[in-house]
Amino acid sequence: MPGRSPAVLAKELASLDVLSGGRLLPAFGLGQRHAGEQQAFGVRREERAAIFEEALPLLRRFWAEDEVTHDGPRFRYEALRVRPKPAARGFDVWMGGTSEPELRRTGRLSDGWLAAFTTPAEGERGRRAVQEAAAGAGREIEEEHFGAVVPYRRGPLPPEAEARLARVRRISGPAPLDDLVPDLDGLAAHLERLVGAGLSKFVLAPLAPPADWDAELADVRDAALHLQTRR
């Protein structure tokens, strides 16, 4: 979110929500820990958190209020009207991040947490930290609003995936390979461990791009869809 105009971003996301019939579920973060990305957005690393904390409440106001007046340290609006409004005048906003400040911010500001490439143990630690921060802020995040991005592989790690695994390890630390990137045959067992850690929403992503996406989706469906539950 840092580096984007809150008013323009609110309009873009509200438009997507209307076009999708109210099915949008955005997840926000501070951006990658990469100097090149921060330069591209024109935001210094030490500014990201403060910008985020001012911008996210503004997004919610743009979606819910007819006119927004705001005079803050970075953004100023006078009776600004943002159209269209989301299908339900707002929606849940999830956040990512695994550092202690990011987890505390998630508990204070978000409606859910989507961990990035987490092990089951780190997923449980992060979930507890988010819940504690939410309780400290007088808030509650629904137990079904915790999830993770889960990369997976097929058999031995292909050479072209080594670079991506290195990026995953920079986020998650030197965890065993199967704790970070399970084989497709072990994906269901890995997801069950994450469920045991209190997570229940998952974004599954192949570590290496498949040759045939239709076949890949069919195989992932067969490997994981039987775990899906509905209330």
Side-chain angles (χ1 to χ4, degrees), residues 117-120 149-158 165 168-169 176-194 202-208 216 220 223-224:
F117 312 123
T118 186
T119 66
V149 177
V150 181
Y152 67 88
R153 59 190 165 87
R154 286 178 174 269
L157 194 69
L165 177 61
V168 172
R169 287 193 186 280
L177 180 62
D178 284 340
D179 268 3
L180 281 177
V181 187
D183 182 82
L184 183 61
D185 291 338
L187 180 60
H190 182 75
L191 292 176
E192 288 176 334
R193 292 177 64 203
L194 290 171
F202 304 107
V203 179
L204 309 181
L207 199 65
E216 186 76 12
V220 172

Side-chain angles (χ1 to χ4, degrees), residues 42-59:
V43 174
R44 293 186 300 169
R45 179 177 178 83
E46 59 269 21
E47 294 179 325
R48 296 180 308 160
I51 294 173
F52 191 104
E53 297 214 12
E54 185 178 355
L56 181 55
L58 274 171
L59 291 181

Side-chain angles (χ1 to χ4, degrees), residues 97-120:
T98 54
S99 71
E100 290 300 325
E102 289 170 327
L103 294 171
R104 291 194 296 270
R105 187 179 302 111
T106 297
R108 287 190 291 104
L109 297 177
S110 83
D111 303 299
W113 178 54
L114 188 69
F117 312 123
T118 186
T119 66

